[in-house]
Amino acid sequence: MSEMSDDDEDVIHIIKKDKVIQYGSLEEKERQRLANTGSSGSLANDAIEAGKASGNINITSESNQFEIDDDAGQAEALAEFNKRKRARQIQVSTDDFEVKARLRENGEPICLFGEGPAERRERLRQILAQIGADAIKKRAEEKAAEAKKKEEENVTWYHEGSESLKEARLWLANYSLPRAKERVTKQKLEKNIPATQQNAKLQELHKKIRSVTNDCSQIGDNRPLSFCQFSPNSKLLAVSSWSGLCKIWSIPECEMVRELRGSHNCNVGAIVFHPQATLSLDDNACCMASCGQDGTVKLWNLVSEEPIADIEGHSPYRVSRLAYHPSGRFLGTCCFDNSWRLWDLEAQDEVLHQEGHSKPVYDISFQCDGALAATCGLDAYSRVWDLRSGRCVMFLEGHLKSVLAIDFSPDGYHVATGSEDNMSKIWDLRQRKCVYTIPAHTNLVSYVKFQPQHGNYLVTASYDSTAKIWAHPTWTPLRTLAGHEGKIMGLDISPDLKHMATCSFDRTFKIWISETSETL
Amino acid sequence: MSLSRRESDDFRYLLEKSVKKFIGFSEPTLVTAAFDCIDRGYDRRKTVDKLTAILDNNQATKFTDIVHELYEDFRIGSRGRSKKRKDDRDDENDNKRRRKFKMLLYVLYLQDDEAPVNVPAPGNPSPGQLTTDKIKEMMANAQKLIQERKTQIQATIPTKSLATIQPDNTTKVFMNDVASKAKRAADLQAQIQTRLSGMQGLGPVTPAAQSIPLDSKPTLILNDQGQTIDAVTGQPVQLSLHTPTLKANIQAKRREQFKGLIDKPPEEISESKFFDSRVSGKGAFRPKRSFKFNEKGRFEQLANRLRTKAQLEKLQNEIAQAAKKTGIASAAKLATIAPKKDMKEGEVPDIEWWDSFIVNCEHYDNLDLKDDQVLTGVTNLVEHPIQMKPPAEPTNEIAIPVYLTTKEREKLRRQNRTESQKEITEKIRLGLMPPPEPKVRMANLMRVLGQEAVQDPTKIEAHVRAQMAKREKAHEEANAARKLTAEQRREKKIKKIKEDTSLGVHVAVYRVRDLKNPAIKFKVEANANQLFMTGIVVLYRDCNVVVIEGGPKQQRKFKRLMLNRIKWQDDKKRSKDQDGSDGEDDADKLNKCFLVWEGTVKTRSFSDIKFKACPTETFAREQFKKLGVEHYWDLAYSGAVLEST
């Protein structure tokens, strides 16, 4: 027994040893070597054995080789399967034109002899499978590089305008500077008025505003009314409609004076009066201007039902709004080709074609001095331009969505914007910042208008079918004008401050007055 | 013909010998042809006919005679000799493929018999490749024979050819002789060609097996040092080695040589030879592992450090956000002109800053417009400013997902599945995949397993049941693998609720008359949290303002909560009942919630939902003013004031 156990232990011992040894068992090799030397039949045999053992003579077994071959074949077949699978997963358009375009993109012939659309598509699929993912990656990289290049190219640059532009600008400078001087001196004087007196005045005004009610309502057309404006003498109201017609209504009777028959064949965006029309300007002269969706701009007098002139150069782009320069000599138009234009009506010439917005320009407003113009666009930014130097003097950034309305305050340095994000912002040009944000409505703000001449309040119109009146320095809501059944598209305050008009999508326009006082 | 395999091999051997004797070199085609004739039992005449395809008429008859004689002899003596050549035939056990390969090489070689003798086969010169070695040797043998044959032919040429070398002979003769030589060489080549073609026409004989010259057994072998030694004596033999000519090969060889030199270990100390380098022993004992105790509070400290770091990062982020909000970055980007000094609110300047750039003076009073030189700023330049990308526009295009109709979806699925099934079948057919075992159920077991099922039904049933269980398990497992984990499911839900507000946040402002009821307060807070919305709730007497930010969908849900789901009036009634005071004095005083404003802004102003109880109006406004959104409060509060008056 004891011997047996000893043997066992021995065996175990050997196994343990094996664990320690790193490669192969030396013992066996040694034994082999010994056996070889012992048997040593012929020297050559011995040498052969030794050669075999040391790996200099290799006798490969055939089966092994076959296996390797088979493995290679298998790998090949599997690769082929994978390739087919990849090709299957690639989506290729069924549109033959697109297939051809893709082929051309990859530098392949777009058509082989006797090849139909199906075969072509299959060929494209094979090619795409071959090129694989790196082609897509490469394209993305190229795109990024292109975008970067574009970004680098995007810098401010200037080009020289025509001689007429220089002339017009000089004229504008000579016109605006005395007005600015006058305005500033007036403001300085106003500043000297004691605060209590000013406050009392404001209180009175607010009281008046709080009593604003609907005076009359009139159906303006059988299509939505897009815009309305009082004549400078406050006796007329021009209303434009989506039917393509513009109508002139008498105020306060609200009776139709004239229908401008030879109007546009499409939605009319706006109709505006010349600043001196019905005042010092002859009725036969060019008193009104209207613009349409097809890019037509027409000029009207106060006598005829037909336009006296057309301004061409916008079509096929829509002209959304237009405005007269305070001097009446120039007309600014907003065009959907991302530009706004300045037309010299005396010279009957386009003096300025101004780019700068990255999306259509929607509204334009001129400063009371005639020195600046403010434009807003669907790119959610507004810009203030100096008409004399042609430079963008201020960039109004703050809205999130399209800015649809912009208006200069009569004080000459406040600008109000109304946007699709339901907010209205007040900008101060002197401080160069947004001084207040009015969360004005629960739908987009379609129009903003300061009180004419004084600028003591701001009226905003919205697609939530209300218009709201906000006090100027505090921006508190004074009054909500509710009554329309549809979105309010346009609004105006008469220059004599007696009336306020709103026109709406519900095809009516309404006149609002203050109950307690003559003026607003 | 009744020759056994061994016999046929023996006979072939003899035939080869005789062919060699007959034409002076071994010609396997001839051997094959002759063997074939004998093998098929052709008589003399027919054999001659066959052999004329390779040999001349005259030679053919002679050779036929020889062959037949040989066969007669072989048949008589075949019994006693089989053992003698056993060693020689060892190599014949090589498989057909290899023979074919050799044959191919051999044939190639015959076609190209003008080639220099000592050209070794290109490719791998590995000493281990027994086959290639053999091939080489065979080639060498054949070449030698051809050389001999050539010299014979040369010898038979009359002395004239020798004379041509004499310098006094005319060049014409020399040319003639060269021409005749060339002609003869061409003849020889043509003859071999024809023979080869004849062999091809011989019929369905596989010449591969017969083509090996059996005496081409290797006589050189390698010993353990890789030296070539003589098979008999065991003495090393010096072979002319093929030296590599390619630069890469030369370099490789040189590297090998140097490697030997460099890698040679330095002379060891005398002790080292007692160590067997092949053995890498481990240490006799392992080091003792002791306990490692951490000091108390160490990990706490670590955690605290991490916490403070995270807090700092958050703070920095906030600062960066604030900086962004002020718009410093965007303002710097624009090349606009700026006023020379900052204005305060309500201040009236001497000259508007935009005018000061035109006229270049500091006061309107100093302005003299009659002077042409005053208007320095007026130019005829038209500016093209930098075009800014709209803020709400996504940077990269949104790919509109294509939705298929039910029919289209089904069709696509069907096609894909057939395609993948086809692939699997093909793989099985090509042997790339093991075929699936037959799918047996209790119902089809007899049909599928047939005989086996009859023999041992119990075992088979067990087998079938096991297979069914396995199938079911696999199915369940696949389902489980597809399932989202609890974590993933939660994330998915959150993702669904949370909306991307990077391009604009929807904000809503509500005003509530009375928000004292804790149940309602809880509802508001819980809903805001569950919808992952941010905002603030300011509690101030009769004007409780709820400002909430989120995506459009979240806002819709919250709006429904505030305006429809919470019954504000009920709450008021209850509190009144408790008070027992004036019942229904006026409907206006009932609790109500108003939507003051809703719209979009660029960025969030709040980081989470907070409740603030404010004692005064100014304090409440301050809460908003801190974040630059005081207009929310102004609007809501003014609404409340208007309502109360």
Side-chain angles (χ1 to χ4, degrees):
Chain A
M1 265 309 271
S2 66
E3 267 183 32
M4 277 283 281
S5 68
D6 268 352
D7 272 13
D8 278 357
E9 271 177 9
D10 271 351
V11 170
I12 289 161
H13 195 69
I14 285 161
I15 289 164
K16 270 186 176 171
K17 246 184 185 172
D18 271 354
K19 274 184 184 170
V20 175
I21 288 164
Q22 285 274 324
Y23 45 88
S25 73
L26 294 171
E27 199 182 270
E28 210 173 302
K29 263 186 190 171
E30 208 64 9
R31 201 190 300 143
Q32 214 172 22
R33 199 179 66 80
L34 283 174
N36 281 345
T37 49
S39 67
S40 72
S42 77
L43 235 127
N45 250 350
D46 203 8
I48 290 168
E49 286 302 320
K52 271 184 186 171
S54 62
N56 283 326
I57 296 172
N58 302 315
I59 298 166
T60 53
S61 65
E62 281 306 306
S63 61
N64 206 353
Q65 218 169 26
F66 267 127
E67 263 171 34
I68 290 161
D69 277 5
D70 275 5
D71 280 353
Q74 273 188 4
E76 215 169 86
L78 278 175
E80 179 63 30
F81 272 117
N82 271 337
K83 205 173 130 194
R84 249 190 279 167
K85 197 174 175 187
R86 221 178 320 133
R88 207 167 59 229
Q89 277 163 352
I90 288 173
Q91 302 289 337
V92 183
S93 170
T94 47
D95 181 11
D96 197 33
F97 285 105
E98 216 167 298
V99 168
K100 280 179 178 170
R102 288 295 298 277
L103 280 170
R104 177 154 283 168
E105 227 171 75
N106 286 306
E108 295 288 331
I110 58 164
C111 185
L112 296 181
F113 179 72
E115 191 184 46
E119 286 97 43
R120 192 155 31 243
R121 186 162 173 254
E122 203 46 46
R123 185 156 61 92
L124 175 62
R125 191 197 290 279
Q126 292 302 333
I127 288 162
L128 289 182
Q130 232 170 42
I131 312 167
D134 24 304
I136 298 158
K137 206 194 265 174
K138 207 171 143 197
R139 203 172 305 145
E141 268 171 23
E142 262 170 32
K143 224 178 208 173
E146 206 174 272
K148 205 179 171 191
K149 203 178 163 196
K150 221 173 172 183
E151 188 71 29
E152 278 167 9
E153 277 172 8
N154 194 6
V155 288
T156 306
W157 58 283
Y158 300 87
H159 85 262
E160 283 203 18
S162 60
E163 203 48 47
S164 62
L165 176 65
K166 181 89 184 260
E167 207 176 292
R169 279 181 174 167
L170 281 171
W171 189 91
L172 279 166
N174 284 323
Y175 174 83
S176 62
L177 285 169
R179 283 171 71 100
K181 182 181 174 185
E182 194 186 329
R183 177 174 56 85
V184 169
T185 38
K186 205 175 134 199
Q187 277 171 1
K188 277 189 173 162
L189 286 176
E190 270 172 14
K191 210 184 156 198
N192 293 333
I193 299 170
T196 46
Q197 207 175 325
Q198 277 185 22
N199 279 344
K201 239 181 169 177
L202 275 182
Q203 287 292 330
E204 202 184 327
L205 178 74
H206 290 176
K207 209 179 270 173
K208 279 194 277 181
I209 295 300
R210 288 214 177 94
S211 65
V212 167
T213 51
N214 189 4
D215 181 43
C216 82
S217 180
Q218 175 68 272
I219 294 172
D221 205 335
N222 49 15
R223 290 297 313 273
L225 307 178
S226 57
F227 197 85
C228 60
Q229 195 178 40
F230 284 102
S231 68
N233 69 354
S234 310
K235 293 278 185 284
L236 299 172
L237 179 73
V239 178
S240 69
S241 158
W242 278 13
S243 67
L245 290 177
C246 300
K247 289 174 182 169
I248 313 286
W249 302 83
S250 67
I251 297 296
E253 298 86 21
C254 280
E255 279 165 6
M256 193 165 78
V257 176
R258 197 172 301 112
E259 190 181 285
L260 305 179
R261 288 186 194 286
S263 272
H264 306 266
N265 300 318
C266 57
N267 301 356
V268 184
I271 181 162
V272 288
F273 278 96
H274 187 284
Q276 292 302 317
T278 66
L279 296 179
S280 62
L281 197 69
D282 181 23
D283 278 359
N284 285 313
C286 158
C287 293
M288 289 184 291
S290 69
C291 61
Q293 192 161 28
D294 58 355
T296 52
V297 175
K298 289 176 192 273
L299 302 177
W300 310 83
N301 61 20
L302 283 173
V303 181
S304 150
E305 289 182 346
E306 297 292 326
I308 54 167
D310 277 359
I311 294 177
E312 277 155 14
H314 302 95
S315 58
Y317 297 103
R318 172 182 169 189
V319 180
S320 49
R321 297 271 168 83
L322 73 178
Y324 268 102
H325 186 261
S327 67
R329 181 181 165 178
F330 298 96
L331 182 72
T333 56
C334 305
C335 189
F336 264 45
D337 65 353
N338 307 356
S339 72
W340 66 272
R341 330 278 178 89
L342 193 67
W343 300 87
D344 189 340
L345 295 179
E346 280 176 14
Q348 299 176 354
D349 187 23
E350 185 194 79
V351 288
L352 180 64
H353 178 123
Q354 182 67 60
E355 290 178 344
H357 287 275
S358 58
K359 286 220 173 164
V361 184
Y362 200 82
D363 199 4
I364 184 168
S365 172
F366 287 99
Q367 192 210 19
C368 54
D369 294 347
L372 306 175
T375 57
C376 63
L378 303 188
D379 56 358
Y381 302 121
S382 313
R383 284 173 186 275
V384 180
W385 309 87
D386 192 318
L387 293 173
R388 287 86 44 92
S389 62
R391 299 193 67 174
C392 175
V393 292
M394 200 172 153
F395 180 72
L396 314 182
E397 179 192 23
H399 282 293
L400 180 72
K401 291 185 181 172
S402 313
V403 186
L404 302 174
I406 193 160
D407 192 34
F408 254 107
S409 163
D411 65 16
Y413 64 95
H414 276 111
V415 175
T417 53
S419 159
E420 208 182 309
D421 58 14
N422 306 354
M423 285 196 289
S424 178
K425 279 178 185 279
I426 314 296
W427 311 82
D428 189 329
L429 295 195
R430 284 180 183 161
Q431 296 179 71
R432 295 175 59 81
K433 64 172 190 183
C434 172
V435 286
Y436 199 79
T437 303
I438 309 174
H441 293 272
T442 51
N443 206 332
L444 64 85
V445 181
S446 57
Y447 206 83
V448 290
K449 180 86 185 163
F450 274 102
Q451 182 201 25
Q453 286 138 37
H454 308 294
N456 283 327
Y457 57 84
L458 173 80
V459 190
T460 58
S462 162
Y463 272 19
D464 64 2
S465 65
T466 59
K468 284 184 182 172
I469 307 175
W470 310 85
H472 178 168
T474 54
W475 310 111
T476 49
L478 294 176
R479 179 84 183 148
T480 301
L481 310 181
H484 277 293
E485 286 158 22
K487 316 159 186 173
I488 299 184
M489 319 250 301
L491 152 140
D492 198 26
I493 303 164
S494 70
D496 63 3
L497 298 177
K498 281 182 181 163
H499 306 282
M500 199 182 287
T502 54
C503 65
S504 158
F505 206 82
D506 63 10
R507 303 186 294 278
T508 61
F509 67 88
K510 289 183 197 292
I511 306 292
W512 309 81
I513 52 158
S514 174
E515 277 181 326
T516 55
S517 152
E518 276 283 294
T519 59
L520 285 167
Chain B
M1 190 71 204
S2 57
L3 278 175
S4 71
R5 191 176 150 72
R6 178 176 287 180
E7 278 174 337
S8 70
D9 282 353
D10 286 354
F11 180 58
R12 181 177 290 280
Y13 180 68
L14 286 177
L15 261 181
E16 249 165 39
K17 266 187 173 172
S18 61
V19 166
K20 210 168 169 182
K21 216 189 270 170
F22 185 71
I23 48 171
F25 58 93
S26 68
E27 178 53 81
T29 48
L30 192 56
V31 174
T32 314
F35 180 78
D36 202 44
C37 291
I38 297 296
D39 202 37
R40 290 178 188 191
Y42 290 164
D43 59 8
R44 256 159 217 264
R45 198 171 50 79
K46 226 171 173 185
T47 317
V48 170
D49 280 354
K50 276 282 165 197
L51 289 180
T52 42
I54 305 171
L55 296 165
D56 308 350
N57 225 347
N58 200 2
Q59 279 182 319
T61 40
K62 268 187 194 168
F63 186 64
T64 314
D65 286 348
I66 292 167
V67 167
H68 277 262
E69 262 175 41
L70 193 69
Y71 181 59
E72 290 303 317
D73 285 354
F74 176 75
R75 262 210 317 206
I76 295 156
S78 64
R79 296 277 174 267
R81 85 173 79 181
S82 57
K83 259 193 185 149
K84 201 173 146 195
R85 288 196 309 101
K86 202 179 175 186
D87 288 1
D88 293 357
R89 292 209 331 278
D90 274 354
D91 292 349
E92 301 252 331
N93 293 333
D94 286 346
N95 82 341
K96 228 178 184 179
R97 212 171 69 90
R98 198 187 285 172
R99 280 180 200 158
K100 222 180 217 165
F101 180 51
K102 281 175 199 160
M103 175 63 194
L104 209 78
L105 271 174
Y106 201 54
V107 167
L108 275 172
Y109 193 76
L110 275 175
Q111 282 172 338
D112 191 22
D113 57 353
E114 303 284 308
V117 184
N118 276 328
V119 174
N124 193 358
S126 152
Q129 286 289 338
L130 212 63
T131 47
T132 47
D133 269 4
K134 264 186 89 175
I135 290 161
K136 254 192 233 170
E137 269 171 29
M138 267 158 42
M139 281 180 168
N141 281 345
Q143 211 117 36
K144 226 188 280 167
L145 282 171
I146 290 163
Q147 281 287 325
E148 276 169 17
R149 180 73 176 153
K150 268 187 187 169
T151 48
Q152 272 177 17
I153 290 163
Q154 216 114 76
T156 54
I157 292 164
T159 48
K160 202 178 165 187
S161 66
L162 285 171
T164 54
I165 307 161
Q166 302 297 318
D168 55 338
N169 273 329
T170 56
T171 47
K172 196 188 167 191
V173 176
F174 181 71
M175 288 294 283
N176 269 343
D177 207 70
V178 170
S180 67
K181 256 189 190 171
K183 199 186 160 208
R184 220 167 277 145
D187 280 353
L188 201 71
Q189 208 147 14
Q191 213 177 343
I192 290 163
Q193 286 289 335
T194 48
R195 278 177 202 169
L196 275 171
S197 61
M199 181 193 73
Q200 278 158 8
L202 206 62
V205 189
T206 49
Q210 290 83 359
S211 64
I212 311 150
L214 289 172
D215 56 349
S216 62
K217 212 184 130 243
T219 50
L220 296 176
I221 48 166
L222 303 174
N223 69 354
D224 57 348
Q225 267 118 38
Q227 288 172 322
T228 322
I229 52 165
D230 198 295
V232 188
T233 59
Q235 294 298 311
V237 175
Q238 194 63 45
L239 282 182
S240 62
L241 280 170
H242 164 238
T243 48
T245 52
L246 224 61
K247 200 125 200 191
N249 289 345
I250 291 166
Q251 277 173 353
K253 203 176 165 193
R254 199 168 294 157
R255 211 178 302 131
E256 204 109 287
Q257 282 169 357
F258 278 110
K259 201 173 154 197
L261 282 176
I262 292 158
D263 288 358
K264 209 178 267 176
E267 286 301 310
E268 295 278 326
I269 327 156
S270 57
E271 258 183 79
S272 69
K273 66 184 166 191
F274 299 112
F275 291 108
D276 192 340
S277 59
R278 290 170 296 180
V279 183
S280 66
K282 275 181 188 168
F285 43 84
R286 68 178 174 84
K288 211 172 182 182
R289 290 192 209 124
S290 57
F291 286 112
K292 264 192 211 161
F293 293 108
N294 285 309
E295 264 176 61
K296 193 187 169 188
R298 180 164 170 260
F299 289 104
E300 269 173 51
Q301 229 172 23
L302 219 69
N304 277 336
R305 213 176 299 153
L306 283 176
R307 261 177 227 130
T308 45
K309 206 176 158 191
Q311 223 161 15
L312 199 75
E313 253 169 39
K314 202 178 158 195
L315 209 72
Q316 274 171 345
N317 261 343
E318 265 169 31
I319 289 164
Q321 283 277 321
K324 220 185 252 175
K325 257 184 207 165
T326 53
I328 298 161
S330 62
K333 237 187 194 172
L334 288 163
T336 49
I337 44 177
K340 279 152 194 161
K341 57 171 186 175
D342 287 336
M343 297 291 297
K344 281 194 199 90
E345 175 90 58
E347 200 179 332
V348 181
D350 291 336
I351 188 166
E352 299 283 8
W353 62 267
W354 50 89
D355 282 335
S356 70
F357 282 96
I358 301 295
V359 292
N360 214 359
C361 70
E362 294 308 314
H363 205 285
Y364 281 123
D365 295 341
N366 306 336
L367 194 61
D368 179 21
L369 280 173
K370 294 192 178 69
D371 184 5
D372 282 351
Q373 303 307 308
V374 166
L375 301 170
T376 50
V378 178
T379 61
N380 64 343
L381 294 179
V382 178
E383 185 175 320
H384 299 262
I386 297 167
Q387 304 208 342
M388 303 287 281
K389 187 186 80 68
E393 199 175 71
T395 39
N396 35 358
E397 298 159 41
I398 301 162
I400 301 162
V402 181
Y403 293 106
L404 302 176
T405 62
T406 321
K407 248 186 184 174
E408 286 168 335
R409 249 187 291 127
E410 279 168 2
K411 185 181 172 188
L412 209 63
R413 180 169 186 268
R414 194 170 57 240
Q415 281 176 344
N416 284 341
R417 283 172 68 97
T418 39
E419 202 73 43
S420 59
Q421 191 56 44
K422 228 193 260 169
E423 199 184 297
I424 290 168
T425 5
E426 205 163 329
K427 270 185 187 167
I428 291 167
R429 217 186 56 221
L430 290 175
L432 299 174
M433 233 174 126
E437 60 177 330
K439 185 177 171 183
V440 264
R441 285 175 286 133
M442 295 311 288
N444 68 2
L445 138 166
M446 288 305 289
R447 209 161 357 107
V448 176
L449 297 171
Q451 197 58 38
E452 289 169 68
V454 174
Q455 275 166 1
D456 192 351
T458 318
K459 188 182 151 199
I460 290 301
E461 193 193 326
H463 168 70
V464 170
R465 285 199 189 282
Q467 210 196 62
M468 282 162 69
K470 196 175 132 200
R471 275 204 302 272
E472 195 182 348
K473 199 179 157 222
H475 176 78
E476 297 294 341
E477 270 171 6
N479 281 355
R482 269 198 300 274
K483 226 174 181 178
L484 296 178
T485 63
E487 180 77 11
Q488 282 170 327
R489 207 162 43 237
R490 216 186 64 229
E491 263 168 28
K492 192 182 165 189
K493 266 187 187 163
I494 291 172
K495 201 183 146 211
K496 223 174 163 185
I497 297 168
K498 268 189 177 170
E499 289 171 76
D500 179 25
T501 52
S502 58
L503 292 173
V505 195
H506 288 241
V507 183
V509 182
Y510 299 91
R511 178 167 56 81
V512 184
R513 277 189 194 142
D514 179 15
L515 198 59
K516 284 196 196 84
N517 191 339
I520 287 179
K521 260 200 279 193
F522 172 78
K523 264 186 204 172
V524 171
E525 189 177 9
N527 271 280
N529 281 330
Q530 280 165 11
L531 290 167
F532 301 102
M533 297 174 92
T534 58
I536 193 168
V537 181
V538 168
L539 307 169
Y540 170 70
R541 280 191 293 185
D542 256 6
C543 177
N544 302 285
V545 178
V546 181
V547 176
I548 201 99
E549 298 171 322
K553 231 165 151 185
Q554 294 163 323
Q555 284 292 1
R556 212 164 55 224
K557 283 174 184 158
F558 199 81
K559 191 176 173 182
R560 216 182 104 66
L561 171 84
M562 293 298 274
L563 300 184
N564 297 351
R565 283 172 55 202
I566 297 178
K567 303 287 174 243
W568 301 97
Q569 284 92 344
D570 288 0
D571 168 53
K572 191 73 182 175
K573 233 179 259 165
R574 203 196 59 191
S575 60
K576 267 178 189 166
D577 287 347
Q578 278 173 355
D579 292 348
S581 60
D582 39 22
E584 56 276 348
D585 56 352
D586 47 356
D588 289 355
K589 282 291 173 207
L590 280 178
N591 194 10
K592 214 186 158 195
C593 174
F594 305 90
L595 173 62
V596 177
W597 183 71
E598 58 180 346
T600 49
V601 294
K602 250 181 205 166
T603 50
R604 283 177 194 272
S605 310
F606 307 95
S607 54
D608 54 352
I609 184 90
K610 256 185 252 166
F611 276 70
K612 283 268 176 192
C614 303
T616 61
E617 194 264 325
T618 43
F619 182 78
R621 192 168 193 269
E622 196 53 42
Q623 298 305 316
F624 290 95
K625 178 105 189 191
K626 268 196 300 196
L627 299 158
V629 287
E630 67 275 16
H631 43 272
Y632 295 152
W633 171 257
D634 291 348
L635 189 65
Y637 188 64
S638 62
V641 170
L642 274 180
E643 195 181 69
S644 60
T645 51

